[in-house]
């Protein structure tokens, strides 16, 4: 079971000597999984704990607080995926402007050695850390030689078409309405998760009740209608472990108007009170962009058409992760 150590320090009580994978790991895509898997396998062979060090909040939100929403993977999802990869310890380093001033050398001595107590570190070829990003793989190698810890630098990991797995590329795919292509990079369908909020209940009046989720810090994918798969989460899972097919709109609902973008998911053949419950909504395929309709009757007819199309798409889409991009 994954153990989470928040704000690690020299006095933190946890097993020392871990093999550590370090990074932001936003998206936890297949390249990240390969890097974390390298640390896990090295740890198992050495009889050491397998660990990950990541940063919260995302450094970009600290340096660019007014920037557009950016995150692919909030901490809840990151935690779940890291546990799935067989990691023992997850170190969560709070990131703020004061921490950003820490030199690369101090980062090695105070965080990696003092707080974590690593025996070996695994990072990507393009890893940078510390003030002015002076921490590089070369600096790590020198520090490892000086302090007695091992260093593994992982080369770029490529997909079957020889393209490097990249969070930036995944963001571009999602913003272009290409969730299947993004899924092939991620190794799973991209999800928006959160607690269902109270909406205006208009969907119920036209025969298509919806569960509404705010987008928060999530990246804004292409606005429009998607075929989706929905799961519950946590101890109060309202779907009791089932995955339900559905159709969802993401955006500003131009026919009725919404001040902030939201996700509205209609779950097929399901009538459950979902208010306040935690849902995970996976985007499977983009159906069409948002558009404004003349009235609710026209909107209702279009939703019926969208729902029928989503049913066909999902019926032809295998549920397993291995087959998700086919």
């Amino acid at each position: 079971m994954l153990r989470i150590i928040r704000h690690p320090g020299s006095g933190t009580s946890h097993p020392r000597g871990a093999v550590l994978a370090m990074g932001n790991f936003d998206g936890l895509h297949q390249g990240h999984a390969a890097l974390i898997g390298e640390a896990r396998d090295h740890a198992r062979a050495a009889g050491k704990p397998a660990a990950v060090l990541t940063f919260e909040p995302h450094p970009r939100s600290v340096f660019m607080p007014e920037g557009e929403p950016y995150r692919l993977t909030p901490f809840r999802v990151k935690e779940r995926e890291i546990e799935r990869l067989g990691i023992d310890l997850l170190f969560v380093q709070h990131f703020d402007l004061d921490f950003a001033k820490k030199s690369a050398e101090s980062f090695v001595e105070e965080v990696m050695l003092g707080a974590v107590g690593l025996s070996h570190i695994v990072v990507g070829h393009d890893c940078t850390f510390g003030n002015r990003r002076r921490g590089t793989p070369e600096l790590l190698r020198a520090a490892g030689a000086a302090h007695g810890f091992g260093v593994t630098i992982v080369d770029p990991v490529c997909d079957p078409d020889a393209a490097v797995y990249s969070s930036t590329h995944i963001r571009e795919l999602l913003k272009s309405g290409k969730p299947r292509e993004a899924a092939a990079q991620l190794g799973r369908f991209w999800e928006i998760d959160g607690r269902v909020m109270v909406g205006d209940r208009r969907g119920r009046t036209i025969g298509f009740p919806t569960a509404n989720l705010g987008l928060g810090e999530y990246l804004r994918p292409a606005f429009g209608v998607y075929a989706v798969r929905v799961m519950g989460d946590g101890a109060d899972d309202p779907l009791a472990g089932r995955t339900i097919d559905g159709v969802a709109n993401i955006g500003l609902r131009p026919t009725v108007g919404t001040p902030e973008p939201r996700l509205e998911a209609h779950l097929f053949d399901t009538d459950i009170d979902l208010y306040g419950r935690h849902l995970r909504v996976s985007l499977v395929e983009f159906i069409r962009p948002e558009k404004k309709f003349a009235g609710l009757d026209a909107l209702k007819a279009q939703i019926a058409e969208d729902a029928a199309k989503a049913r066909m798409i999902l019926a032809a889409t295998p549920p397993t992760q291995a087959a998700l991009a086919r």
Side-chain angles (χ1 to χ4, degrees):
M1 181 174 293
L2 180 69
R3 179 181 171 191
I4 300 172
I5 298 95
R6 297 178 184 273
H7 316 300
S10 57
T12 307
S13 174
H14 62 267
R16 312 284 284 183
V19 178
L20 182 72
M22 182 177 74
N24 286 320
F25 300 126
D26 189 26
L28 256 295
H29 57 59
Q30 297 208 63
H32 293 148
L35 189 153
I36 292 171
E38 177 81 18
R40 178 200 60 225
D41 294 347
H42 188 103
R44 298 291 181 266
K48 303 285 188 180
V52 167
L53 172 64
T54 192
F55 306 90
E56 290 291 334
H58 194 294
R60 179 187 170 99
S61 68
V62 173
F63 293 125
M64 302 175 63
E66 304 303 322
E68 65 179 18
Y70 181 81
R71 292 194 68 155
L72 293 170
T73 312
F75 181 73
R76 181 185 179 96
V77 179
K78 189 184 294 188
E79 173 191 345
R80 184 174 67 234
E81 290 301 309
I82 287 172
E83 182 171 25
R84 185 178 62 81
L85 291 169
I87 294 300
D88 304 306
L89 304 171
L90 173 56
F91 295 94
V92 185
Q93 175 60 59
H94 178 70
F95 193 91
D96 56 22
L97 292 176
D98 284 339
F99 185 82
K101 296 174 184 176
K102 190 181 292 293
S103 70
E105 292 81 3
S106 294
F107 187 98
V108 170
E109 294 173 8
E110 297 174 16
V111 179
M112 296 181 188
L113 293 168
V116 173
L118 84 171
S119 63
H120 194 103
I121 190 165
V122 180
V123 296
H125 70 287
D126 56 352
C127 167
T128 59
F129 61 92
N131 185 247
R132 300 182 185 273
R133 299 185 176 181
R134 287 190 58 252
T136 61
E138 291 71 27
L139 185 145
L140 274 178
R141 286 194 180 99
H147 294 285
F149 62 85
V151 178
T152 297
I153 309 301
V154 176
D155 291 331
V157 181
C158 297
D159 67 20
D161 296 323
V164 175
Y165 291 113
S166 159
S167 296
T168 298
H169 184 43
I170 292 167
R171 291 186 186 96
E172 292 169 349
L173 290 170
L174 291 169
K175 293 177 82 168
S176 299
K178 299 178 179 179
R180 283 191 186 271
E181 291 86 342
Q185 291 270 314
L186 288 163
R188 64 190 188 281
F189 291 114
W190 186 66
E191 296 177 354
I192 293 173
D193 81 349
R195 292 207 176 271
V196 178
M197 59 187 186
V198 177
D200 54 24
R201 302 177 185 264
R202 185 175 281 108
R204 189 169 294 278
T205 67
I206 59 174
F208 293 96
T210 59
N212 298 278
L213 303 180
L215 298 183
E217 292 185 342
Y218 273 107
L219 169 93
R220 300 321 191 226
F223 284 176
V225 177
Y226 291 82
V228 299
R229 287 199 165 118
V230 184
M231 296 179 64
D233 202 12
D236 67 342
D237 179 357
L239 304 181
R242 294 176 297 151
T243 299
I244 306 295
D245 288 351
V247 63
N249 186 80
I250 299 176
L252 296 169
R253 306 190 305 165
T255 303
V256 297
T258 300
E260 293 290 332
R262 67 172 67 167
L263 180 151
E264 292 183 300
H266 171 66
L267 283 61
F268 296 148
D269 310 315
T270 303
D271 186 13
I272 300 174
D273 182 2
L274 296 171
Y275 291 121
R277 313 299 282 276
H278 206 107
L279 293 184
R280 298 162 50 187
V281 182
S282 298
L283 307 190
V284 175
E285 189 163 309
F286 186 75
I287 294 176
R288 64 169 177 83
E290 274 198 312
K291 61 181 179 180
K292 187 172 183 177
F293 295 91
L296 291 182
D297 287 342
L299 175 61
K300 179 178 178 179
Q302 183 63 60
I303 294 174
E305 183 178 326
D306 295 337
K309 186 172 292 187
R311 285 181 185 270
M312 288 192 298
I313 290 167
L314 294 165
T317 301
T320 61
Q321 291 191 355
L324 56 81
R326 294 178 187 171

